[in-house]
């Protein structure tokens, strides 16, 4: 990727895995490299692996019980916002300043840490701290929403448990609900 650049590397991935390449934009370096790595390591396109039906549960006699503890969206977003403010109090701005001093490639996975880009824009004079905080909190909420969507699609058979309110976390009530679901699924 470094030698070819995004566009040429995307064409290379297209020759190996046209299905994945059609879904991955040339700018998505991480997914392009992953598709290339899977083909390189296995000799099969990533899209082939993703298309495989997974009847293994029946073959080995395993019953799958998945549980996703997913809070109410408003409670989750409030927790995301509060978490970023707490990170600032604990020195996130100084950490962003230290990372910025290294002059790293913005495409590196570490440079995609939630809030880092926004804090670095602030440190470069692009926006004031208040707007950087608002933007970082929004980016965090967007990430949380993508995670929730992923869980809903990947864990279709899972039991989704929503705590009762913003303060409740993993509690005896949730544990009891999980055990009841296990007992009733047999």
């Amino acid at each position: 990727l470094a030698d070819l650049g995004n566009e040429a590397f995307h064409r290379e991935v297209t020759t190996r895995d046209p299905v994945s390449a059609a879904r991955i934009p040339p700018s998505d370096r991480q997914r392009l490299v992953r598709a290339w790595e899977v083909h390189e390591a296995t000799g099969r396109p990533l899209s082939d692996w993703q298309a495989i039906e997974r009847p293994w549960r029946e073959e080995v006699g395993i019953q799958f019980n998945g549980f996703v503890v997913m809070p109410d969206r408003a409670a989750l977003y409030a927790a995301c916002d509060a978490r970023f403010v707490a990170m600032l109090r604990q020195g996130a701005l100084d950490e962003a300043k230290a990372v910025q001093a290294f002059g790293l490639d913005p495409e590196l996975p570490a440079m995609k840490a939630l809030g880092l880009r926004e804090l670095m824009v602030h440190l470069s004079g692009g926006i004031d701290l208040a707007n950087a905080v608002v933007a970082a909190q929004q980016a965090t909420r967007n990430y949380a929403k993508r995670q929730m969507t992923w869980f809903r699609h990947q864990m279709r058979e899972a039991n989704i448990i929503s705590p009762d309110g913003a303060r409740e976390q993993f509690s005896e009530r949730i544990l009891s609900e999980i055990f009841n679901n296990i007992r009733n699924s047999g």
Side-chain angles (χ1 to χ4, degrees):
L1 175 62
D3 292 343
L4 297 176
N6 288 16
E7 296 291 333
F9 190 75
H10 189 268
R11 287 191 296 276
E12 175 65 25
V13 171
T14 300
T15 64
R16 295 165 175 246
D17 187 352
V19 174
S20 291
R23 289 191 313 251
I24 304 171
S27 60
D28 193 339
R29 299 165 59 105
Q30 188 170 342
R31 285 186 176 83
L32 284 174
V33 168
R34 180 70 177 140
W36 184 86
E37 288 173 337
V38 168
H39 186 273
E40 188 71 15
T42 68
R44 291 178 62 187
L46 176 62
S47 57
D48 282 2
W49 291 106
Q50 291 171 334
I52 295 173
E53 291 294 323
R54 309 250 185 239
W56 59 268
R57 293 181 196 141
E58 292 78 24
E59 290 173 14
V60 295
I62 294 175
Q63 183 175 352
F64 174 77
N65 286 308
F67 298 91
V68 177
V69 179
M70 191 177 303
D72 169 74
R73 187 175 293 186
L76 177 63
Y77 287 178
C80 289
D81 290 349
R83 178 180 175 271
F84 192 78
V85 170
M87 288 171 52
L88 279 175
R89 286 191 196 115
Q90 295 169 359
L93 191 57
D94 291 334
E95 288 183 29
K97 196 178 298 181
V99 169
Q100 191 174 43
F102 285 113
L104 300 172
D105 180 350
E107 294 300 319
L108 288 172
M111 298 298 287
K112 296 177 183 176
L114 290 172
L116 181 60
R117 185 183 68 76
E118 294 80 6
L119 292 178
M120 289 175 69
V121 169
H122 162 68
L123 291 169
S124 298
I127 55 177
D128 63 25
L129 183 58
N131 284 323
V133 169
V134 168
Q137 288 173 323
Q138 181 64 56
T140 304
R141 292 190 303 269
N142 291 346
Y143 183 75
K145 184 175 187 286
R146 286 191 305 273
Q147 286 180 316
M148 291 169 69
T149 300
W150 186 89
F151 275 117
R152 277 193 205 95
H153 289 121
Q154 297 300 315
M155 304 283 287
R156 288 189 182 112
E157 298 174 28
N159 297 287
I160 297 189
I161 299 169
S162 296
D164 294 331
R167 293 225 172 262
E168 185 179 10
Q169 293 180 2
F170 191 80
S171 67
E172 291 299 321
R173 185 197 65 78
I174 293 172
L175 193 58
S176 173
E177 191 172 332
I178 290 171
F179 285 135
N180 285 335
N181 277 302
I182 291 170
R183 279 188 215 96
N184 295 332
S185 67

